[in-house]
Amino acid sequence: MTSPIPGRLITFEGIDGAGKSTQIDRLEARLREAGLEVVRTREPGGTPVSEIIREVILNEEMTLKTETLLFFAARAQHVDEVIRPALARGAWVLSDRFTDATYAYQVGAKGFSGEACEALEAWTLGDFKPFKTVLFDLAPEVAAKRRQVRAGDTDRFEREETAFFERVRNAYLDRARRDPSRFVIVNAEETPEAIASVLAQEVNQWL
Ligand code: TYD
């Protein structure tokens, strides 16, 4: 049975350690309660091939051009294999990161050409954009402390310095300012409960 509400892509962005996962969990539960089919996914990844590309990106050294192309390669597969079919059957897709991350990390923080990124985006996705993008905004110092207490190995992105994450943060905020109707900026330094209540109000407007 197809849902009366059309399928939507919601993406979640922010620097590493922003606390996205907990809030995506809550949002997923809320949408399911509303009777929607929810597809939870992530980038880089989301399909078998894209997950293999993820391992390569996160663990191997490479040029910035190769890295950016690989993010778009993983994304192309993800969109065609998972996201578009899900939206077509009326599902809501929650993706932990999407194209804005490439603008924030590869363009904003690492210096890849913004024009080249726009060309890659246009070629890979056409004018396909998320319905809404939730940006978890917080100071890089706070995020670094959270990453320290989180168990597990760090990947080569998480080992970057505070100044790097400051550039990522500013690039995200800049994109949010340019597209205010798509972005929802959340103060990720608030308590999880406070953030959840802000997002719950947002979701009520989307439904
Ligand atoms: P993520 O899965 O959010 O990391 P983690 O599981 O460690 O929280 O993302 C992996 C890393 O890839 C993260 O540091 C951000 C980075 N990234 C980019 O640099 N560009 C992109 O386009 C995407 C999607 C992610």
Side-chain angles (χ1 to χ4, degrees):
M1 199 184 76
T2 47
S3 157
I5 302 174
R8 305 244 191 245
L9 170 63
I10 315 290
T11 61
F12 301 85
E13 302 281 0
I15 59 177
D16 305 70
K20 285 179 278 126
S21 307
T22 324
Q23 299 299 335
I24 304 175
D25 288 347
R26 294 197 192 209
L27 218 69
E28 180 179 1
R30 168 78 185 86
L31 292 172
R32 285 193 202 282
E33 270 167 32
L36 297 166
E37 181 195 342
V38 180
V39 174
R40 172 86 173 259
T41 188
R42 68 170 181 181
E43 289 208 346
T47 78
V49 162
S50 309
E51 290 290 331
I52 293 169
I53 298 173
R54 175 191 176 91
E55 287 306 309
V56 175
I57 298 174
L58 296 186
N59 299 310
E60 305 296 330
E61 295 299 330
M62 63 190 75
T63 67
L64 183 54
K65 189 191 266 183
T66 304
E67 179 179 305
T68 308
L69 287 167
L70 285 178
F71 275 115
F72 273 108
R75 184 165 299 133
Q77 188 67 31
H78 188 209
V79 168
D80 288 346
E81 188 178 331
V82 174
I83 299 179
R84 283 194 201 272
L87 297 177
R89 61 175 191 268
W92 280 50
V93 180
L94 306 183
S95 185
D96 188 344
R97 301 192 186 283
F98 196 62
T99 314
D100 294 301
T102 312
Y103 283 99
Y105 283 78
Q106 280 65 47
V107 177
K110 297 188 170 188
F112 188 75
S113 151
E115 274 178 25
C117 191
E118 279 168 16
L120 287 171
E121 180 186 16
W123 188 71
T124 313
L125 305 177
D127 56 7
F128 182 77
K129 291 253 186 316
F131 168 67
K132 293 285 172 188
T133 297
V134 180
L135 173 58
F136 292 84
D137 180 58
L138 82 173
E141 294 79 10
V142 179
K145 286 209 184 77
R146 290 193 190 164
R147 288 198 301 276
Q148 274 164 16
V149 292
R150 210 162 65 178
D153 296 338
T154 55
D155 60 47
R156 68 186 181 95
F157 286 77
E158 290 170 328
R159 290 191 290 270
E160 293 281 359
E161 303 297 328
T162 302
F164 174 89
F165 290 109
E166 197 65 67
R167 292 197 296 277
V168 175
R169 179 192 197 186
N170 289 333
Y172 270 133
L173 287 171
D174 189 49
R175 283 187 72 71
R177 272 191 289 270
R178 287 163 195 262
D179 197 353
S181 59
R182 173 163 67 90
F183 276 89
V184 177
I185 304 178
V186 163
N187 178 357
E189 292 182 28
E190 302 262 2
T191 62
E193 286 65 35
I195 297 170
S197 104
V198 169
L199 283 179
Q201 285 170 25
E202 270 298 324
V203 173
N204 289 340
Q205 292 175 32
W206 303 343
L207 292 172

